[in-house]
Amino acid sequence: MAESEAETPSTPCEFESKYFEYNGVRLPPFCRGKMEEIANFPVRDSDVWISVLFHCLVSAGTGLLQEVVYLVSQGADPDEIGLMNIDEQLPVLEYPQPGLDIIKELTSPRLIKSHLPYRFLPSDLHNGNSKVIYMARNPKDLVVSYYQFHRSLRTMSYRGTFQEFCRRFMNDKLGYGSWFEHVQEFWEHHMDANVLFLKYEDMHKDLATMVEQLVRFLGVSYDKAQLESMVEHCHQLIDQCCNAEALPVGRGRVGLWKDIFTVSMNEKFDLVYKQKMGKCDLTFDFYL
């Protein structure tokens, strides 16, 4: 059997019930029994998929990314999008709600998110059908943001220390498996015609260029005024995301890790990072 029980974490974890392992990857319980159906999920050429690891990146970074993608792909009015619940417009493939049957029947063009590793996504995506947008974030900021996300939700109830949580991250003991494997899998496909690999930090360095990348990748066209309006709207979202009053310790901020990592933790993390990413030419900005 491909599925097996995973050891329950010794500290409170993000799910009340146990993880399970599927082909060596720790997955949340709501994925149980549906991985084959996900692999065979019917993909349409007009689909746009947003893929990230960990929900906190959705909260801090891909919340912005999904709004940009929605703006660009749907031609939405930036002034109207603030009145919408964008999460309802971009369902997560593997989540219990709305469920695979509902997502299959959505009208085109569908916008679909997932946190699953590349190899677990629908096989049609591997064959180049539809577009996939992947966003990565430097792992030091990511683990801090993910820790804060766990602490903030009552359903997750994580009460362990950050040191314990960071150790779990480095040892690939969190939901959806190893960050190091997840990001490298997608990086191996970053030159595929149907894949756009983005980095969270680039939104802070040059948001206008990222929006232009999305416009080209999605095959749409806008005039200068429309593009400027989109970029301005997204700059406002970034400001909100990085506001320490809006999110615990400003978890959308680049360089967040420097406020929490100790010297010894940073040295250990750098060692693990080098061991697991040493053969990969992907680089990150750890501060701007």
Side-chain angles (χ1 to χ4, degrees), residues 8 11 28 42 54 56 84 93 106 117 122 135 138 141 156 166 168 173-174 178 212 228 239 247 252:
T8 304
T11 54
F54 303 146
C56 69
M84 303 170 58
L93 180 69
L106 294 177
M135 176 166 277
N138 88 65
D141 282 345
M156 292 186 175
C166 190
R168 298 191 67 83
K173 296 297 185 181
L174 296 175
S178 167
E212 291 171 1
E228 289 177 350
D239 290 342
L247 292 169

Side-chain angles (χ1 to χ4, degrees), residues 140-274:
K140 292 182 182 180
D141 282 345
L142 180 60
V143 69
V144 174
S145 181
Y146 200 27
Y147 171 72
Q148 292 291 347
F149 178 74
H150 277 62
R151 298 276 295 180
S152 68
L153 291 188
R154 183 183 305 172
T155 55
M156 292 186 175
S157 302
Y158 184 84
R159 292 297 176 264
T161 66
F162 174 69
Q163 288 81 359
E164 293 168 340
F165 190 87
C166 190
R167 189 181 307 116
R168 298 191 67 83
F169 180 91
M170 291 188 289
N171 292 329
D172 308 329
K173 296 297 185 181
L174 296 175
Y176 289 102
S178 167
W179 175 88
F180 305 95
E181 294 180 3
H182 198 285
V183 73
Q184 288 182 86
E185 271 191 37
F186 276 92
W187 182 246
E188 288 173 1
H189 295 275
H190 77 283
M191 296 300 292
D192 293 1
N194 71 317
V195 175
L196 178 63
F197 191 104
L198 299 173
K199 289 186 279 189
Y200 175 75
E201 293 76 22
D202 290 341
M203 289 195 297
H204 292 259
K205 291 197 298 185
D206 192 348
L207 180 60
T209 295
M210 193 202 76
V211 172
E212 291 171 1
Q213 282 182 284
L214 283 166
V215 167
R216 290 194 301 270
F217 180 71
L218 295 173
V220 295
S221 60
Y222 291 99
D223 61 33
K224 182 178 180 181
Q226 290 173 314
L227 282 174
E228 289 177 350
S229 177
M230 287 183 189
V231 172
E232 176 57 31
H233 175 73
C234 294
H235 272 302
Q236 294 173 6
L237 289 172
I238 285 180
D239 290 342
Q240 295 171 9
C241 189
C242 297
N243 183 350
E245 295 180 358
L247 292 169
V249 297
R251 68 170 179 250
R253 179 164 51 87
V254 178
L256 175 65
W257 64 273
K258 292 184 292 184
D259 296 338
I260 297 182
F261 272 60
T262 64
V263 172
S264 61
M265 286 176 61
N266 190 49
E267 291 175 348
K268 175 62 175 176
F269 198 101
D270 285 346
L271 178 62
V272 172
Y273 183 89
K274 183 177 181 180

Side-chain angles (χ1 to χ4, degrees), residues 136-139 179 183 199 201 273 277 282-286:
R137 186 179 185 183
N138 88 65
W179 175 88
V183 73
K199 289 186 279 189
E201 293 76 22
Y273 183 89
M277 298 288 288
L282 172 64
T283 61
F284 287 97
D285 290 308
F286 287 91

